[in-house]
């Protein structure tokens, strides 16, 4: 029978689309903040760098998770879980430690964290199913 | 926020209608009509902030003030939830100068302007300064002309009209001064300032602060003025004439000195010459008036008095020029009359007290830019006067001997620039009506009107006057034959009018800035 988790795959797919939106929205908001508020270069650089790293991590994570789920292998899924930790840290950075945290930032990042949490649970379940 | 009160202006007193004033009592609040400051909040961009609301409850009897401290919520999506950047939302307090950071603060803020990047600019300007120190010193405009011991003196009146010898001559500053000096025949040889030696003793330094090259002042010419004012130019001007007593008069005292300094365009003085006017005083004279003049000429150029640079200056004479004989030359047109000769100015008849045209022949006054002038005289015509000589005399009177053909467009127009010279247009009008032209009567010119049209040229903040058009209109009238023995008096007038034909300045606005977004040529590389 099929061991791949369909909810996990759906969630990964939705996560991908949402992340594209999240990336564009956060970039646009950083540009908006730099025009409206006083945003010196020392503070702008870490924010932009984090966003870029987060995008790369996300691509890697989604690819590994999708591959692991579809091929029913634990290794990529485990790796994906590890990268999720990094993504969570970066998301928390954007939620709490960013230079300017707007309400829109709070909403976006909370949604993303919820998605990460749900995904992690589903991945653990899938790994358990594959191992057994 | 509860403590802030913008309308609390009077100290220890209750401000009217100021609900947040702590000095007001409940009795004062009952007399207010409204609250001038209804709410005091912090930064409006924060998502939630404390706000103090003040309002008047008019229902209650007596009215009382209501104070609430609430949390105001900003409904916008983009309100600031939190910041991790301390200076983000408030003005930064400036650094208080202490003894440690005073030098650094002075370096940063001590000049006329400073930018947000304090260190970047300073290093650039420091690098430029050492190179200037290596340049040799040269004279610049206004710098006192130095001699071996002090400065080149140009005595001038200070406060009163008595001469002060401490006035230095400035480089390139053409000056002419007159002052009074107290003299007496007894102290003839003792007063230094009336002796020629005093003025040519020192030698001028060719370059500033360099004692190696010195220029001696040579005596160019000596004019001797006798007691009754007659001046004679002496031939041998090499001999130094010192004051001495002769026949109870003190002769050879300096009445005027005129310095001519020649300089190069590198700021060096290469030649200096002085022309003297020597005079004599007798026993009764207690003081004399001395006049001093200094003029600077660049080497290898002709000194031409400019009437403006480049636009005409109001009050300076209009410069004119002529074409040399042998016109037309196909190649160039050269103008001859560009020297300090007084006769190369545009002149009009000068009114004299006698008002008789024929008696005042030759008295002319130059036309100064911007000054409308009118002058005239009366002419007595007798029956014996013939038409043609009278016409010629009147034309000479009106126009003068050397009526020019061209007028300089700018105050500093050079002879080589043909396009900078405006030709004078001549017009003739007649006082009589048209039907009289068929009569073969004598037309004599009685009026000359010169109209100079000028315009403002150049930038809006510093417009220069430029002459565009000069029209000389001669008005003639018919001379009716007089019966024998009769006389007639006609007025002859000349006038100069300056008209400003500059068009009103139109403001020009810059184009709206456009967003220049261009993708690079190979942006869609894999697909194109």
């Amino acid at each position: 029978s099929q061991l791949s988790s369909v909810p996990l795959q759906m969630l990964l797919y939705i996560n991908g689309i949402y992340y594209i939106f999240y990336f564009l929205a956060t970039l646009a908001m950083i540009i908006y903040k730099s025009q409206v508020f006083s945003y010196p270069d020392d503070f702008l650089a870490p924010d932009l760098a984090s966003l870029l790293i987060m995008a790369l991590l996300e691509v890697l994570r989604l690819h590994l998770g999708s591959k692991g789920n579809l091929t029913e292998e634990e290794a990529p899924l485990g790796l994906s879980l590890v990268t999720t930790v990094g993504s969570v840290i970066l998301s928390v950075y954007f939620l709490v430690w960013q230079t300017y945290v707007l309400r829109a930032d709070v909403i976006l990042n909370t949604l993303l964290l919820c998605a990460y949490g749900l995904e992690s649970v589903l991945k653990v379940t899938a790994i358990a199913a594959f191992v057994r | 926020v509860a403590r802030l009160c913008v309308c609390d202006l009077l100290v220890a007193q209750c401000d009217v209608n100021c609900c947040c004033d702590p000095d007001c009592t409940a009795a004062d609040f009952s007399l207010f009509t409204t609250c001038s400051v209804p709410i005091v909040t912090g930064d409006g961009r924060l998502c939630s902030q404390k706000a103090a609301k003040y309002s008047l409850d008019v229902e209650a009897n007596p009215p009382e003030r209501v104070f609430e401290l609430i949390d105001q919520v900003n409904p916008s999506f983009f309100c600031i939830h939190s910041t991790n950047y301390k200076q983000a939302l408030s003005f930064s307090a400036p650094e208080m100068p202490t003894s440690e950071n005073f030098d650094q603060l002075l370096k940063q803020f001590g000049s006329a302007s400073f930018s947000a990047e304090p260190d970047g600019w300073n290093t650039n300007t420091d690098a430029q300064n050492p190179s200037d120190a290596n340049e040799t010193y040269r004279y610049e405009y206004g710098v006192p002309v130095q001699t071996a011991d002090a400065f080149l003196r140009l005595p001038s009146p200070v406060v009163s009209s008595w001469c002060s010898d401490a006035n230095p001559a400035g480089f390139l500053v053409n000056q002419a001064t007159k002052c009074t000096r107290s003299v007496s025949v007894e102290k003839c040889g003792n007063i230094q300032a009336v002796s020629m030696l005093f003025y040519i003793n020192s030698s001028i330094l060719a370059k500033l602060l360099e004692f190696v090259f010195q220029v001696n002042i040579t005596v160019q010419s000596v004019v001797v003025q006798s007691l009754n004012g007659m001046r004679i130019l002496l031939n041998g001007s090499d001999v130094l004439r010192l004051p001495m007593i002769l026949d109870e008069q003190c002769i050879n005292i300096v009445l005027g000195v005129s310095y001519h300094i020649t300089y190069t365009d590198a700021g060096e003085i290469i030649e200096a010459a002085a022309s003297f006017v020597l005079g004599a005083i007798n026993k009764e004279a207690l003081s004399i008036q001395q006049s001093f003049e200094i003029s600077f000429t660049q080497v290898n150029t002709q000194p031409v008095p400019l009437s403006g640079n480049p636009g005409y200056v109001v009050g300076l004479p209009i410069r004119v020029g002529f074409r040399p004989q042998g016109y037309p030359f196909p190649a160039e047109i050269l103008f001859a009359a560009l020297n300090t000769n007084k006769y190369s100015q545009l002149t009009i008849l000068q009114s004299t007290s006698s008002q008789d045209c024929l008696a005042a022949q030759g008295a002319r006054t130059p036309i100064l830019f911007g000054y409308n002038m009118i002058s005239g005289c009366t002419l007595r015509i007798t029956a014996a006067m013939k038409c043609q000589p009278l016409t010629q005399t009147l034309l000479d009177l009106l126009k003068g001997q050397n009526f020019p053909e061209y007028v300089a467009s700018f105050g500093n127009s050079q002879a080589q620039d043909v396009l900078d010279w405006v030709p004078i247009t001549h017009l003739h009008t007649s006082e009589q009506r048209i039907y009289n032209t068929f009569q073969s009567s004598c037309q004599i010119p009685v009026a000359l009107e010169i109209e100079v049209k000028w315009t403002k040229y150049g930038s809006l903040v510093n417009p220069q006057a430029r002459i565009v058009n000069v029209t000389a209109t001669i008005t003639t009238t018919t001379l009716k034959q007089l019966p024998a023995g009769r006389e007639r008096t006609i007025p002859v007038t000349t006038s100069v009018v300056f008209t400003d034909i500059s068009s009103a300045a139109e403001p020009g606005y810059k184009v709206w800035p456009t967003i220049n977004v261009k993708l690079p040529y190979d942006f869609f590389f894999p697909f194109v």
Side-chain angles (χ1 to χ4, degrees):
Chain A
S1 72
Q2 181 194 327
L3 289 175
S4 308
S5 164
V6 173
L8 178 59
Q9 198 60 30
M10 275 167 45
L11 198 56
L12 287 174
Y13 183 71
I14 293 172
N15 195 351
I17 297 177
Y18 176 73
Y19 189 76
I20 293 174
F21 166 73
Y22 170 91
F23 178 81
L24 293 173
T26 310
L27 190 63
M29 277 200 289
I30 289 182
I31 295 173
Y32 164 79
K33 284 180 230 170
S34 73
Q35 298 303 309
V36 171
F37 305 125
S38 139
Y39 213 150
D41 290 340
D42 300 345
F43 292 87
L44 188 57
D47 289 353
L48 281 176
S50 307
L51 189 62
L52 227 51
I53 294 172
M54 194 179 178
L56 293 171
L57 269 183
E58 190 71 16
V59 166
L60 189 66
R61 191 183 74 92
L62 288 174
H63 173 74
L64 283 173
S66 177
K67 181 170 137 192
N69 191 24
L70 291 175
T71 56
E72 297 179 4
E73 284 178 26
E74 311 88 31
L77 268 182
L79 228 51
S80 178
L81 215 51
V82 169
T83 25
T84 307
V85 174
S87 289
V88 162
I89 293 174
L90 283 174
S91 182
V92 167
Y93 169 84
F94 278 109
L95 181 65
V96 175
W97 298 316
Q98 216 187 144
T99 313
Y100 290 97
V101 182
L102 306 183
R103 181 178 289 164
D105 279 321
V106 171
I107 294 172
L108 281 176
N109 282 293
T110 327
L111 281 177
L112 198 64
L113 281 174
C114 290
Y116 285 165
L118 205 54
E119 258 178 45
S120 304
V121 168
L122 285 176
K123 276 184 200 164
V124 167
T125 330
I127 289 178
F130 296 159
V131 164
R132 234 184 293 134
Chain B
V1 176
R3 289 194 309 255
L4 287 175
C5 196
V6 181
C7 54
D8 180 15
L9 299 169
L10 300 170
V11 176
Q13 272 185 47
C14 183
D15 294 83
V16 180
N17 274 345
C18 186
C19 295
C20 54
D21 196 344
D23 308 315
C24 296
T25 62
D28 296 321
F29 285 131
S30 63
L31 298 171
F32 289 169
T33 49
T34 60
C35 280
S36 59
V37 174
I39 189 164
V40 180
T41 64
D43 191 339
R45 290 182 297 198
L46 295 174
C47 283
S48 109
Q49 55 188 309
K50 284 224 172 300
K53 272 182 80 164
Y54 300 94
S55 57
L56 270 186
D57 185 13
V58 289
E59 301 296 320
N61 188 11
E64 51 183 44
R65 175 199 77 166
V66 176
F67 168 63
E68 296 168 63
L69 201 60
I70 58 171
D71 280 325
Q72 199 180 40
V73 173
N74 187 346
S76 157
F77 243 142
F78 301 109
C79 63
I80 300 177
H81 190 259
S82 64
T83 64
N84 290 308
Y85 172 39
K86 258 206 310 218
Q87 299 104 305
L89 302 169
S90 59
F91 292 113
S92 60
E95 265 182 71
M96 285 302 291
T98 65
S99 49
E100 290 92 48
N101 60 7
F102 187 78
D103 291 317
Q104 182 250 326
L105 284 178
L106 184 66
K107 197 161 66 120
Q108 190 176 353
F109 298 114
S111 57
S113 66
F114 47 86
S115 67
E117 293 95 355
D119 292 325
W121 279 109
N122 285 344
T123 50
N124 280 345
T125 54
D126 282 342
Q128 280 175 13
N129 281 339
S131 62
D132 286 342
N134 285 339
E135 239 180 55
T136 52
Y137 293 107
R138 55 178 193 173
Y139 281 110
E140 289 177 355
Y141 178 84
V143 170
V145 175
Q146 281 190 324
T147 62
D149 44 358
F151 298 108
L152 184 65
R153 281 172 296 257
L154 204 70
S156 63
V158 177
V159 182
S160 64
S161 65
W162 296 103
C163 287
S164 151
D165 290 330
N167 182 39
F171 186 68
L172 291 190
V173 179
N174 293 335
Q175 274 182 310
T177 57
K178 278 198 185 77
C179 57
T180 322
R181 184 102 44 191
S182 78
V183 291
S184 68
V185 178
E186 292 84 30
K187 290 189 284 179
C188 188
N190 295 341
I191 307 176
Q192 268 201 323
V194 295
S195 137
M196 262 175 81
L197 201 59
F198 181 68
Y199 296 102
I200 58 176
N201 200 3
S202 42
S203 46
I204 299 177
L205 301 183
K207 284 196 238 193
L208 205 60
L209 297 182
E210 273 191 23
F211 290 86
V212 181
F213 298 106
Q214 295 187 358
V215 176
N216 286 330
I217 305 180
T218 56
V219 178
Q220 196 176 29
S221 67
V222 176
V223 168
V224 172
Q225 178 172 322
S226 63
L227 271 176
N228 56 3
M230 208 166 68
R231 291 188 175 191
I232 309 169
L233 180 65
L234 290 188
N235 270 339
S237 53
D238 292 339
V239 179
L240 205 62
R241 287 161 183 272
L242 295 174
M244 54 192 204
I245 300 185
L246 190 70
D247 294 340
E248 293 187 351
Q249 286 179 356
C250 186
I251 63 167
N252 290 342
I253 53 168
V254 172
L255 291 182
V257 185
S258 175
Y259 290 105
H260 298 278
I261 315 267
T262 313
Y263 65 97
T264 66
D265 51 3
E268 259 184 67
I269 295 182
I270 55 174
E271 225 186 288
S275 311
F276 288 91
V277 174
L278 300 178
I281 53 166
N282 52 14
K283 270 192 178 315
E284 288 91 30
L286 289 174
S287 65
I288 51 162
Q289 192 177 47
Q290 294 184 311
S291 60
F292 300 93
E293 203 191 322
I294 186 166
S295 66
F296 291 86
T297 318
Q298 198 171 352
V299 67
N300 293 335
T301 62
Q302 288 276 27
V304 173
L306 298 180
S307 295
N309 194 17
Y312 272 100
V313 173
V314 168
L316 292 184
I318 296 187
R319 296 175 60 223
V320 297
F322 304 85
R323 254 197 208 135
Q325 306 293 333
Y327 166 76
F329 284 141
E332 307 171 351
I333 302 170
L334 295 170
F335 297 93
L338 285 181
N339 46 18
T340 51
N341 192 347
K342 218 193 288 190
Y343 299 109
S344 71
Q345 290 170 341
L346 199 56
T347 56
I348 61 169
L349 181 73
Q350 187 170 25
S351 307
T352 56
S353 52
S354 64
Q355 288 192 5
D356 190 359
C357 289
L358 301 173
Q361 275 196 11
R364 300 192 73 82
T365 177
I367 295 181
L368 305 176
F369 183 82
Y371 288 163
N372 297 341
M373 300 182 185
I374 184 165
S375 65
C377 54
T378 56
L379 183 68
R380 263 194 349 202
I381 305 181
T382 60
M385 284 186 186
K386 298 275 189 298
C387 182
Q388 195 49 40
L390 188 62
T391 311
Q392 195 54 45
T393 313
L394 279 172
L395 264 178
D396 280 342
L397 205 65
L398 287 172
K399 285 193 171 177
Q401 290 302 323
N402 274 344
F403 198 71
E405 300 159 25
Y406 288 86
V407 169
S409 173
F410 285 108
N412 64 349
S413 296
Q414 299 296 318
Q416 311 83 276
D417 306 322
V418 179
L419 297 173
D420 273 348
W421 295 81
V422 173
I424 298 184
T425 322
H426 290 88
L427 290 180
H428 281 94
T429 63
S430 174
E431 257 182 26
Q432 317 299 108
R433 299 229 179 263
I434 306 177
Y435 61 79
N436 265 345
T437 52
F438 289 111
Q439 296 185 2
S440 61
S441 50
C442 180
Q443 297 279 341
I444 52 168
V446 286
L448 168 69
E449 179 181 324
I450 299 180
E451 187 179 2
V452 180
K453 293 202 177 89
W454 62 279
T455 174
K456 293 199 190 91
Y457 186 82
S459 66
L460 283 180
V461 294
N462 189 13
Q464 304 295 313
R466 175 190 187 172
I467 292 185
V468 178
N469 192 346
V470 178
T471 314
T473 311
I474 300 240
T475 310
T476 57
T477 183
T478 321
L479 178 66
K480 289 199 266 296
Q481 197 58 29
L482 287 170
R486 297 276 228 141
E487 274 185 356
R488 202 180 126 195
T489 314
I490 52 168
V492 173
T493 54
T494 52
S495 63
V496 182
V497 173
F498 286 86
T499 322
D500 181 359
I501 59 165
S502 44
S503 47
E506 282 173 16
Y509 294 105
K510 274 181 79 163
V511 186
W512 274 100
T514 55
I515 300 178
N516 257 341
V517 177
K518 275 175 70 169
L519 295 175
Y521 175 69
D522 51 357
F523 190 71
F524 295 106
F525 171 63
F527 307 107
V528 168

